[in-house]
Amino acid sequence: MPTPSMEDYLERIYTLIEDKGYARVSDIAEALGVHPSSVTKMVQKLDQKEYLVYEKYRGFVLTAKGKKVGKRLVYRHELLEDFLKLIGVEQEYIYNDVEGIEHHLSWDAIDRIGDVVQYFEEKEERVHTLRDIQKKNELEQT
């Protein structure tokens, strides 16, 4: 099981490869706000754990295991963003909130959140009912 830091790298590498067809150390460093030397060290660790294959001076590619984990991590991130939007969290807070909670939830909790999102998305009136409850609660708090 990857550490939270490894998960951040795998998620970013997977996303870059999906978007651009490749992921360079400089792209990863920029996206994560770290030094390229930190990326190189992590890439070496991910190579040791068989999430990717790294060849010095040649780059790296995700293994099947790395792709599977990366895809699941991106799904988790997007699902949590969808969930927070659904429950009415303001857009400006969503990214940081997801970054703060995504590593602390079990996959069982992620699956249950997926069920809740699906429940609300299946019938739009459920979202409207939730918004009505939120408005009522806001009025009662003032």
Side-chain angles (χ1 to χ4, degrees):
M1 191 47 95
T3 66
S5 181
M6 287 177 173
E7 287 183 346
D8 286 339
Y9 279 85
L10 283 169
E11 181 181 347
R12 183 61 57 202
I13 290 167
Y14 180 86
T15 301
L16 285 167
I17 290 172
E18 286 295 303
D19 292 346
K20 295 170 57 170
Y22 61 91
R24 296 181 313 199
V25 168
S26 59
D27 296 328
I28 300 163
E30 182 180 336
L32 295 175
V34 298
H35 293 294
S37 60
S38 298
V39 174
T40 300
K41 288 177 189 174
M42 180 57 78
V43 165
Q44 291 168 342
K45 286 180 188 177
L46 293 170
D47 179 60
Q48 291 172 353
K49 300 282 186 182
E50 300 180 348
Y51 291 108
L52 54 79
V53 176
Y54 171 69
E55 292 183 37
K56 195 172 185 177
Y57 306 116
R58 298 194 77 179
F60 55 88
V61 293
L62 287 171
T63 61
K65 174 182 172 182
K67 287 178 186 175
K68 181 179 178 181
V69 171
K71 185 176 185 175
R72 185 128 164 98
L73 294 172
V74 169
Y75 164 77
R76 175 182 71 186
H77 189 99
E78 291 173 350
L79 175 66
L80 290 172
E81 283 187 357
D82 291 346
F83 176 69
L84 294 180
K85 286 177 196 169
L86 176 75
I87 63 172
V89 174
E90 291 183 36
Q91 186 66 39
E92 66 184 285
Y93 301 120
I94 289 177
Y95 181 81
N96 286 336
D97 286 350
V98 169
E99 287 297 312
I101 64 174
E102 66 184 339
H103 301 295
H104 302 286
L105 296 171
S106 69
W107 285 103
D108 184 50
I110 295 298
D111 290 340
R112 299 301 67 81
I113 289 170
D115 296 341
V116 170
V117 170
Q118 180 181 350
Y119 172 81
F120 279 96
E121 287 179 342
E122 284 179 351
K123 294 191 178 176
E124 186 68 27
E125 64 268 12
R126 293 173 178 162
V127 176
H128 295 301
T129 301
L130 176 62
R131 296 292 176 259
D132 291 343
I133 292 168
Q134 290 170 330
K135 286 177 188 172
K136 179 183 170 219
N137 288 340
E138 285 176 15
L139 289 173
E140 290 176 359
Q141 291 175 358
T142 56

